[in-house]
Amino acid sequence: MITTITLNPAIDKTITVEQFRLNTVNRVLSVNEDLGGKGINVSKVLHHLNHKTVACGFIGEANYGLVQPHIKRLGLSTDFVWVDALTRINTKIIDPIEKSTTDINETGFTVSRVQIEQLKIMLQAYAKQSSFMVFSGSICKGIDMESYQSLIEAVAPTPWVLDADRQVLKTGLELHPYLIKPNIHELEDLLQVKLETTQAIVREARSLIQQYKIHYCLVSMGEQGSILVKQDVAYHAKALDVELVTTVGAGDAMLAGFLFGLSEGYSDMDALRAATACGAIAVSGISLRAFNDFKIEALIDRVELTQIDLG
């Protein structure tokens, strides 16, 4: 089983508007709502890959009536600590003509020390049953870095995965994650350096691996594909040629595919192929039902990998 932890979940509202403009009336073509948050997104993909998963974290009680139908529709196993507040709503405005995306993200609720302790006890129990514990996304108000560290320490010795940015990523690295999955911009922000070549990305990733005792660093780069780095080997996966409809959840789908591969006993190379296949399905904007063994196997065979010379 893979357990995901989402500390700042959201109801994701996607609005499609052609030729979106500021300071005027825009006509909406379509509206779609879904339960979101990076860890929840990972669990959704794993669930549709028929891999056992549970999504944990906090959830707002005040508007749970908006959340519950999505959980029921997805058939997702969840276990949340209740917060007497609203789950935030994140609005994404997609313009298919201009090929632009505008994000309007709410801050979210505030949790108490008691609620953090409740979650810690929950995670300790799930860690005993899980192959991986996945900490993904931002943190909500009420959680400082000391509290975040205590949640991670609660899952030891189960291997844990970190997909976050900025201070959350910096704090998490000190606790030696098994795997990190930054996108290229998050990695550059962490290092405060522009990474313009494959060799530079691999060099810096290997430095992080050595410094923080990380096993894998998986760097997503959009249409440039992805790079998987270990201490002694690195691979580049070419992005599959699919129509780009949305980037929403693409990195989460990639992470889910990689962890799925590792959990199913795939080699590192095939796990990277599975990650690439899942990312391709996500950006093509088709239904979650496309995440199944048959579809993944068909796409895996199309993924081109190149081993990178470590120099």
Side-chain angles (χ1 to χ4, degrees):
M1 181 172 74
I2 296 175
T3 299
T4 65
I5 301 97
T6 304
L7 302 176
N8 201 15
I11 298 169
D12 288 334
K13 186 173 185 177
T14 302
I15 301 173
T16 303
V17 179
E18 290 185 345
Q19 297 182 318
F20 173 68
R21 295 291 183 268
L22 298 175
N23 301 315
T24 188
V25 175
N26 292 272
R27 303 297 179 186
V28 174
L29 292 180
S30 65
V31 179
N32 182 62
E33 288 188 357
D34 200 1
L35 178 61
K38 291 180 68 63
I40 292 170
N41 291 340
V42 171
S43 278
K44 286 192 290 190
V45 173
L46 288 169
H47 172 69
H48 280 82
L49 288 171
N50 296 314
H51 192 87
K52 188 175 181 181
T53 182
V54 61
C56 296
F58 300 110
I59 204 75
E61 189 171 5
N63 60 345
Y64 188 68
L66 297 177
V67 173
Q68 187 178 31
H70 297 298
I71 294 175
K72 186 175 181 180
R73 173 179 55 82
L74 293 165
L76 193 62
S77 295
T78 61
D79 199 352
F80 294 118
V81 173
W82 295 96
V83 180
D84 186 17
L86 296 167
T87 297
R88 63 188 178 135
I89 298 177
N90 288 346
T91 303
K92 188 177 294 289
I93 303 171
I94 295 177
D95 185 338
I97 302 297
E98 301 293 337
K99 299 189 182 303
S100 66
T101 300
T102 302
D103 291 297
I104 305 171
N105 291 350
E106 297 181 7
T107 305
F109 44 57
T110 301
V111 297
S112 67
R113 292 287 180 184
V114 171
Q115 289 160 338
I116 294 171
E117 191 63 30
Q118 288 175 329
L119 181 60
K120 188 188 304 182
I121 294 170
M122 179 189 294
L123 297 184
Q124 286 173 333
Y126 278 111
K128 296 175 182 177
Q129 311 168 48
S130 301
S131 54
F132 295 106
M133 302 291 288
V134 183
F135 288 81
S136 286
S138 61
I139 59 177
C140 56
K141 291 180 290 185
I143 298 182
D144 55 19
M145 289 302 103
E146 183 179 351
S147 300
Y148 187 66
Q149 180 175 333
S150 72
L151 290 172
I152 294 171
E153 290 173 340
V155 308
T158 303
W160 68 280
V161 176
L162 179 62
D163 184 5
D165 62 3
R166 301 180 183 177
Q167 189 58 48
V168 178
L169 175 56
K170 291 179 182 178
T171 297
L173 284 172
E174 299 288 345
L175 298 173
H176 314 302
Y178 183 78
L179 181 155
I180 60 172
K181 199 224 71 64
N183 63 39
I184 185 62
H185 306 297
E186 291 164 346
L187 186 60
E188 289 176 335
D189 182 66
L190 171 70
L191 300 170
Q192 290 296 290
V193 64
K194 189 72 174 174
L195 301 173
E196 297 182 335
T197 67
T198 297
Q199 287 71 27
I201 295 169
V202 172
R203 181 183 66 248
E204 296 298 338
R206 290 180 72 201
S207 178
L208 290 174
I209 286 170
Q210 184 172 9
Q211 181 178 355
Y212 296 108
K213 300 179 176 63
I214 302 166
H215 199 73
Y216 294 101
C217 178
L218 177 59
V219 184
S220 56
M221 305 182 298
E223 63 183 14
Q224 301 302 315
S226 60
I227 293 177
L228 176 66
V229 185
K230 297 175 68 175
Q231 184 58 51
D232 58 350
V233 68
Y235 302 101
H236 173 260
K238 185 178 179 181
L240 288 170
D241 185 16
V242 297
E243 181 183 2
L244 175 60
V245 175
T246 177
T247 60
V248 178
D252 305 325
M254 173 173 281
L255 177 57
F258 189 73
L259 293 176
F260 168 79
L262 292 183
S263 298
E264 293 294 319
Y266 289 18
S267 67
D268 290 344
M269 295 176 70
D270 280 344
L272 180 56
R273 289 187 175 99
T276 304
C278 286
I281 293 173
V283 300
S284 64
I286 57 181
S287 168
L288 276 170
R289 293 185 179 88
F291 289 96
N292 56 61
D293 292 338
F294 175 78
K295 186 73 173 181
I296 295 300
E297 291 293 340
L299 287 176
I300 280 176
D301 292 338
R302 292 172 47 194
V303 178
E304 298 179 24
L305 291 191
T306 304
Q307 186 168 339
I308 300 168
D309 185 3
L310 299 182

